[in-house]
Amino acid sequence: SQKIEQNSEALNIQEGKTATLTCNYTNYSPAYLQWYRQDPGRGPVFLLLIRENEKEKRKERLKVTFDTTLKQSLFHITASQPADSATYLCALKYSGAGSYQLTFGKGTKLSVIP
Amino acid sequence: DAGITQSPRHKVTETGTPVTLRCHQTENHRYMYWYRQDPGHGLRLIHYSYGVKDTDKGEVSDGYSVSRSKTEDFLLTLESATSSQTSVYFCASSRPNQPQHFGDGTRLSIL
């Protein structure tokens, strides 16, 4: 069956360091992958999208990589700040399925410690 | 933001009662989605819509129905609520192959 996994349920990191979150998938032929941020009591907010033919995307302190050979995406937050503390979700749009469906990982809760 | 509002934000009801959750978007997005989010499961798609009166089932559609009579409104109905449907429900909307914009959820408790 198709599966998407975020390796860590929780990640603690010191302020100023780079946080790296991992998203792995199996049995997919991906079209693109998205990362979202979710704060407690709120809905997910879109951060970045990376397509299958792209290796890397950047937005300010955020960077996403996509390795279709390893079936893995890495999400980096450089110079992390306490305000970056949130749950981060990856979501995969796979080709061959219902056209507009995303499959979400369970999320990684990031805590940035001052 | 896409301007998505969900109502109600919180609801407590009893097993066997019908429940309708409402989602309203102001961005004229063609696609709308209903998800549920539970600990240990992440976000799971219940139903989605790709146009007015055009809907399809998602991963966990049993016990749920939807309707979309206008572009801006997408309703989720639990015909006869069960305790297993206690969850946080999120609505989202998007343009084709574009990121989804989410509402802030409805916390539903079924006793």
Side-chain angles (χ1 to χ4, degrees):
Chain A
S1 63
Q2 294 156 333
K3 209 171 175 183
I4 183 166
E5 286 186 346
Q6 294 186 246
N7 287 4
S8 301
E9 283 191 20
L11 178 66
N12 296 330
I13 193 163
Q14 207 71 33
E15 181 177 4
K17 301 293 186 183
T18 296
T20 299
L21 284 61
T22 304
C23 180
N24 293 294
Y25 61 94
T26 60
N27 300 333
Y28 285 117
S29 176
Y32 55 76
L33 187 142
Q34 301 178 8
W35 284 89
Y36 289 78
R37 169 183 173 140
Q38 187 173 21
D39 292 289
R42 304 298 301 274
V45 174
F46 169 75
L47 296 174
L48 282 168
L49 180 153
I50 187 164
R51 299 187 187 280
E52 60 163 333
N53 59 349
E54 297 175 317
K55 296 293 185 187
E56 183 178 297
K57 269 279 187 70
R58 290 175 185 263
K59 178 183 175 182
E60 299 174 351
R61 295 184 296 111
L62 309 180
K63 184 177 83 170
V64 174
T65 62
F66 198 12
D67 188 328
T68 54
T69 300
L70 292 178
K71 298 187 186 295
Q72 182 179 81
S73 175
L74 299 179
F75 176 78
H76 306 272
I77 305 174
T78 58
S80 58
Q81 305 166 359
D84 295 325
S85 298
T87 296
Y88 291 87
L89 310 175
C90 66
L92 194 70
K93 160 66 169 68
Y94 49 97
S95 55
S99 300
Y100 304 103
Q101 292 188 46
L102 288 178
T103 299
F104 282 83
K106 296 176 184 178
T108 296
K109 184 176 181 181
L110 175 67
S111 298
V112 180
I113 303 162
Chain B
D1 282 352
I4 296 186
T5 54
Q6 295 183 231
S7 60
R9 291 296 315 278
H10 302 272
K11 187 172 181 68
V12 180
T13 191
E14 294 183 348
T15 300
T17 59
V19 177
T20 296
L21 307 184
R22 291 172 171 77
C23 179
H24 179 80
Q25 54 109 352
T26 59
E27 293 296 311
N28 201 32
H29 286 167
R30 180 178 169 188
Y31 299 93
M32 296 188 75
Y33 316 83
W34 276 108
Y35 294 89
R36 61 180 289 175
Q37 188 173 41
D38 304 286
H41 287 279
L43 278 165
R44 292 182 292 175
L45 184 66
I46 304 171
H47 282 280
Y48 64 101
S49 169
Y50 45 95
V52 173
K53 299 193 190 307
D54 291 324
T55 65
D56 206 349
K57 295 178 180 180
E59 178 187 356
V60 290
S61 60
D62 286 350
Y64 301 94
S65 62
V66 291
S67 65
R68 191 158 177 213
S69 59
K70 296 188 289 186
T71 298
E72 57 267 34
D73 294 323
F74 194 30
L75 305 183
L76 176 71
T77 297
L78 292 65
E79 299 291 346
S80 178
T82 68
S83 57
S84 65
Q85 294 175 311
T86 292
S87 187
V88 181
Y89 291 85
F90 287 99
C91 175
S93 72
S94 75
R95 292 190 171 86
N97 285 313
Q98 294 298 307
Q100 294 182 15
H101 299 262
F102 285 82
D104 281 335
T106 294
R107 187 172 294 275
L108 178 63
S109 296
I110 300 164
L111 307 178

